[in-house]
Amino acid sequence: MRYVFGNWKENKNLEEAQNFVAELAHLLAGRNRVEKKLVLLPPSIFLAPLGEQIKELLLPVELGVQDVSSFEEGAYTGEISARMVVDLAGYALLGHSERRRFFGENYQTVNEKIKLCQKYQITPLVCLSSTNDLGALELSQRGSPAMIVYEDSQKIGGEETANLGEIIQFCRAVRSRFSGKVKFIYGGSVGPQNARTLWQNEEIDGLLVGHHSLKAGGLMEIFLS
Ligand code: PGA
């Protein structure tokens, strides 16, 4: 199975989010034989209404959360825990470079988050920008299986991905550090203009799409490439 994750980041209000799903339903109509999984990562406040809408429309689309707290529960104002989203999200994006850059997150915190996601059977989608950080990650073989995202932080928000050779090298480093079973995802300037080239490489199990996931048409093009 291959995956497309649409990371909306801090974008859209509820109406825009619901319009996006309605448009997606239109674009997906009659296409239930696609061999890929489409996962949307909206702002967490929209997980419940979008989950309802997806269910009503019988869409083959899943939801994930953009982050979870490193604390299981308690007096941590503003935080959202893995336990709170367990019925709303099957995946959690963890350690995104924007979390590390703007919110001072480090791999010690990310490891706490991984543990909690695995405890609650949420698949952690762990971002790394350098193979040097592979040694800092703690993935348990128990609990939900993890996915690793190579996210080239120099390539975010543009139109050109990291070079394919570099992506494959990263993928092989991930597979030799963890088992071959870990899914390998690439993120960083993925768009309709380069998705086909990335999909042609069998070692890439999925794509994490940022700004090109904000329009249903663009996301579908990547999904169907
Ligand atoms: P982008 O974001 O697709 O806008 O480059 C990707 C990411 O944040 O990983």
Side-chain angles (χ1 to χ4, degrees):
M1 178 59 74
R2 297 178 106 182
Y3 298 79
V4 175
F5 294 94
N7 177 15
W8 288 359
K9 308 189 179 186
E10 191 188 323
N11 289 293
K12 297 192 189 294
N13 62 23
L14 180 58
E15 189 186 351
E16 290 160 349
Q18 288 178 322
N19 286 344
F20 178 103
V21 172
E23 198 184 336
L24 203 59
H26 183 68
L27 295 168
L28 277 168
R31 292 195 190 268
N32 40 11
R33 290 181 55 95
V34 180
E35 304 268 304
K36 291 189 197 103
K37 208 170 250 192
L38 185 55
V39 183
L40 298 178
L41 308 170
S44 50
I45 192 171
F46 303 144
L47 286 170
L50 295 191
E52 287 295 318
Q53 193 184 1
I54 286 167
K55 204 154 67 177
E56 269 167 36
L57 294 168
L58 302 170
L59 288 187
V61 173
E62 295 184 39
L63 292 176
V65 64
Q66 293 178 18
D67 188 31
V68 295
S69 174
S70 55
F71 299 103
E72 188 159 10
E73 67 178 329
Y76 305 104
T77 302
E79 289 294 88
I80 293 174
S81 70
R83 184 169 164 255
M84 290 171 190
V85 294
V86 78
D87 295 323
L88 305 171
Y91 304 81
L93 191 61
L94 303 178
H96 190 283
S97 63
E98 286 151 14
R99 302 280 335 152
R100 286 181 274 128
R101 178 168 167 217
F102 299 115
F103 303 97
E105 214 166 90
N106 57 39
Y107 282 105
Q108 204 179 329
T109 338
V110 172
N111 283 333
E112 293 303 320
K113 297 181 180 195
I114 295 173
K115 243 187 270 167
L116 289 168
C117 285
Q118 290 192 307
K119 173 171 175 184
Y120 288 100
Q121 302 295 323
I122 296 169
T123 300
L125 201 56
V126 189
C127 301
L128 292 172
S129 301
S130 159
T131 48
N132 295 335
D133 294 328
L134 273 171
L137 278 193
E138 290 164 17
L139 298 184
S140 157
Q141 297 306 315
R142 284 170 291 140
S144 54
M147 298 188 178
I148 302 285
V149 185
Y150 169 35
E151 189 212 10
D152 185 341
S153 50
Q154 306 299 312
K155 294 288 183 193
I156 289 185
E159 298 304 311
E160 204 179 296
T161 65
N163 112 1
L164 200 55
E166 228 173 86
I167 298 175
I168 297 309
Q169 239 180 333
F170 204 108
C171 171
R172 294 190 180 153
V174 166
R175 298 212 200 280
S176 75
R177 166 80 174 82
F178 303 108
S179 78
K181 285 192 207 130
V182 166
K183 294 273 184 194
F184 175 78
I185 314 293
Y186 171 76
S189 295
V190 174
Q193 74 286 1
N194 52 40
R196 187 182 298 266
T197 312
L198 293 162
W199 287 133
Q200 274 166 356
N201 202 297
E202 298 287 319
E203 294 184 67
I204 300 173
D205 296 308
L207 301 174
L208 173 66
V209 188
H211 65 287
H212 278 294
S213 73
L214 294 173
K215 294 221 168 84
L219 188 60
M220 275 305 284
E221 257 189 80
I222 296 166
F223 183 63
L224 297 173
S225 288

